Amino acid sequence: SSGRSLLLPLPLPLRLLVLASLVFHVLLIDVHNPKDTVQLETLELPPGCVRRAVAGDFMRYHYNGSLMDGTLFDSSHDYGDPQEATLGANKVIEGLDTGLQGMCVGERWQLVVPPHLAHGESGGEGRLPAAPGPHPPALRSPASLSSPRGAGCAAAARLPGGGG
């Protein structure tokens, strides 16, 4: 063939280099960085916050979990009672566990949890839509913290703007 005749006059190392050249046409579907961390925004801070939650604390909290486009996928309000967890005990997704540390009773935060600290590609046991690419979208999860006795927080109230 004509391609073969063009390669034969080249020295062997150059012929191998030409034969090993690859061309890729790529459409990037999704991207995230494993170094991304949980982002938080304080929506409401009660006066007199003197103690913040730390790893090992038992806490009760309400939340609404949504995708970045606002699509709700889960809410503690659907279960009637606040969610309960011990921080640092691997009972909730890593991003939520990390994000809840530092909250005061009655405080409301919005957490943005990157995919690798959320449900990953598993989609949270079918609660999230299938990942369009190698990684699902980040999660936006407003949370409010209530005390173990329910004091200091309107535990059944939804967060402003459709949050939890």
Side-chain angles (χ1 to χ4, degrees), residues 10-144:
L10 296 174
L12 182 60
L14 288 178
R15 274 189 274 160
L16 291 176
L17 190 67
V18 170
L19 294 176
S21 298
L22 303 174
V23 176
F24 293 92
H25 297 273
V26 178
L27 171 63
L28 182 63
I29 303 297
D30 185 47
V31 66
H32 88 279
N33 188 321
K35 295 178 184 175
D36 289 345
T37 60
V38 175
Q39 299 172 23
L40 66 92
E41 176 186 349
T42 300
L43 302 176
E44 182 180 334
L45 178 64
C49 175
V50 294
R51 185 180 186 288
R52 297 191 171 271
V54 297
D57 283 349
F58 173 81
M59 59 187 329
R60 294 174 2 131
Y61 58 95
H62 269 297
Y63 69 91
N64 283 336
S66 66
L67 302 178
M68 292 301 291
D69 68 1
T71 303
L72 184 70
F73 69 86
D74 193 25
S75 175
S76 62
H77 299 281
D78 293 342
Y79 310 115
D81 293 319
Q83 185 76 18
E84 297 179 349
T86 299
L87 286 178
N90 288 333
K91 299 298 181 187
V92 296
I93 61 170
E94 183 179 352
L96 187 56
D97 192 77
T98 301
L100 292 173
Q101 294 185 39
M103 285 189 83
C104 288
V105 171
E107 189 168 13
R108 295 173 188 258
W109 284 1
Q110 176 172 280
L111 307 173
V112 177
V113 180
H116 64 283
L117 297 176
H119 293 286
E121 291 187 49
S122 71
E125 300 168 355
R127 292 187 300 189
L128 298 176
H135 305 288
L139 305 178
R140 184 177 59 164
S141 187
S144 59

